Amino acid sequence: MEFRAIINGKKVLNDNWLEIINPSDQKVAGRVTALSEKEISEAFEVARNSQLKWSQTKLLDRIMVLKKFRDLIENNSLKIAQIMSLEIAKGLKDSQIEVQRTLELIDYTFEEAKRLNPLALTGEEFGVENKLGVFSRVPKGVVLAISPFNYPVNLSLAKIFPALVTGNTVVFKPATAGSLVGAFLGELSLEANLPPGIFNVVTGRGREIGDLITANPQINFISFTGSVGVGEHLKSISQTKDFVLELGGKDPALVLDDQNLEINAKEIVAGAFGYSGQRCTAIKRVLTTDEIADKLVPLLLKEVKKLKVGYPNDNPDIVPMIDEKSAEFVQTLVDDAKEKKAKIIFGGNRKKNMFEPTLVDYVTKDMKLAWEEPFGPVLPILRLKSVGEMIEIANESNFGLQASIFSRDINQAIKIAKALNCGTVNINGKSQRGPDSFPFSGIKDSGMGVQGVREALLSMTRFKGIVINYK
Ligand code: NAP
Ligand code: G3H
């Protein structure tokens, strides 16, 4: 497979390539263009130059043009899922679900864009009799969209479509693992005849071209999803200070009582191990009491033993991790916990980047696994003294993305939900972004700003007021 970067409605025909490695067999899955500094600045120039005309195109015409792009995504949905599945080792079925979910998000985005109505205000409540203000939402200008490897379709198009439909132009940088599908989306945009320059796909390795991209002075707004380290770095070097950042998480599941433990164990295991735990919203620690843990751990073990380990075409639960370096990192967390006397209930080992589903009991506060995000198939269990201590440990984390509370007592659950410092609390369910229309946000190291359909449209536009003074 070979896909080119797209700048100004054309494929970039240089001779430099970036090879994309298939995590399932470590062989080259394909290659994409590796862009030069000059080509990257050209992408921003054309995005800037095409923005005014695009923003002046009627909303319904913009939707009509973008609808062709959306329909091509639908017509190619199997191919898109296959490419994605190959380069990030996500199960084929899960990849298809990701594409379908994204098509729904796009449709919803078109509808919501029609409802970004202007606000008309008078000053009469303040005794100002002669003013009429009309406040419309206008595009911010050039949007830089940077996506992570784990949802290369959903977390890319959830930025691209809201930006374009509101009259911004886009420079899109996919993750290296995720570039084949990212650049293929670029090819579909050519087939859809989007006006040249409004959507540009820049490919290359983040550590080589990242700074050239993020420091470009043409950018008005950045929508970034990825790790805390890259997010913080980007914040420090970009000239615009207008961002939405979606970063890491260490989502806790607080199990408050021993009711429905079988059902809850199933839900926790699904939340922790889907796509080998490589989800920002994966359950990344269980917080409970000794007494409950004695009953819960055997049930978690029963569920973990059922997980199918394999390769994407067989749609297993556990697939190879994105690369060996990431698996090595998970191993250091598990080994540290083992050395400090945690009990490995299941798994704990790996062959290269294939990490066994791993359940670790008796994790304590001095272990890295209690605090760091593994982004792999590992679930630590912390046995605590009280519900008060569960809240304390949940809130002590640097992260604040989501949390889950499992309890039959809805009054207690709501009380605790209010005490947890994070973006969203799920009662009696795993942590989860979807449905994509929900506002999605993290606090502390988990990010800033809000995603979601309406929220993305709002973040990529600003109020522009015109005030009429009359007599
Ligand atoms: P990552 O390594 O931070 O990469 C994210 C994106 O940034 C990729 O496109 C990457 O390109 C690019 N990048 C790397 N260095 C850069 C630089 N100096 N300047 C600009 N861009 C640069 O993250 P990842 O491994 O793909 O994703 C996993 C992380 O994302 C986890 O921490 C996870 O929790 C987080 N995540 C958060 C959310 C959320 O909504 N909160 C959702 C999904 C994932 P290359 O691939 O080419 O390096
Ligand atoms: O990695 C982060 C994704 O946005 C998670 O989405 O919780 O719906 O699987 P999800």
Side-chain angles (χ1 to χ4, degrees), residues 18 146-151 155 173-177 179 204-214 224-231 233-234 237 245-249 278-281 284 322 326 373 375 399 401 433 440 442 446 451:
L18 170 64
I146 304 183
S147 53
F149 79 83
N150 65 334
Y151 281 78
L155 293 177
K173 150 81 180 96
T176 294
S179 290
R205 212 174 277 289
R207 64 171 178 266
E208 285 156 20
I209 61 165
D211 288 7
L212 292 175
I213 294 175
T214 49
F224 172 84
T225 308
S227 62
V228 179
V230 176
H233 175 67
L234 173 155
I237 69 160
L245 303 178
E246 302 182 309
L247 308 176
Q278 298 172 117
R279 291 168 55 240
C280 56
T281 45
K284 292 177 182 138
I322 195 67
S326 307
E373 180 188 44
F375 223 59
F399 294 106
L401 193 58
R433 171 192 295 265
F440 183 80
S446 292
Q451 267 283 336

Side-chain angles (χ1 to χ4, degrees), residues 50-204:
S50 54
Q51 199 266 324
L52 182 64
K53 186 163 174 218
W54 178 241
S55 70
Q56 288 170 341
T57 305
K58 263 192 341 210
L59 171 65
L60 293 182
D61 289 344
R62 286 201 298 263
I63 291 177
M64 209 162 63
V65 171
L66 292 172
K67 177 97 176 30
K68 278 194 211 151
F69 184 20
R70 176 251 176 252
D71 289 347
L72 281 166
I73 294 170
E74 183 167 37
N75 297 342
N76 286 276
S77 56
L78 179 60
K79 184 167 179 192
I80 292 172
Q82 284 166 334
I83 298 172
M84 173 191 349
S85 175
L86 184 77
E87 67 179 321
I88 65 158
K90 185 175 276 191
L92 184 60
K93 234 188 235 156
D94 286 343
S95 301
Q96 286 175 284
I97 291 170
E98 182 175 334
V99 180
Q100 185 53 39
R101 152 189 188 175
T102 308
L103 287 165
E104 287 162 14
L105 179 153
I106 295 169
D107 292 339
Y108 204 122
T109 300
F110 289 154
E111 288 308 311
E112 278 300 293
K114 294 177 198 161
R115 293 178 182 86
L116 287 182
N117 296 323
L119 271 181
L121 298 172
T122 67
E124 279 161 23
E125 290 78 3
F126 291 87
V128 179
E129 299 287 350
N130 63 338
K131 280 187 193 286
L132 174 65
V134 179
F135 297 85
S136 313
R137 306 274 336 168
V138 296
K140 286 189 172 166
V142 174
V143 170
L144 169 62
I146 304 183
S147 53
F149 79 83
N150 65 334
Y151 281 78
V153 171
N154 185 265
L155 293 177
S156 303
L157 296 175
K159 303 173 183 357
I160 293 163
F161 272 86
L164 289 174
V165 80
T166 46
N168 298 281
T169 54
V170 173
V171 174
F172 163 50
K173 150 81 180 96
T176 294
S179 290
L180 290 172
V181 78
F184 180 61
L185 291 172
E187 291 204 352
L188 294 181
S189 77
L190 295 186
E191 209 177 317
N193 277 323
L194 296 195
I198 70 161
F199 177 52
N200 306 280
V201 184
V202 297
T203 44

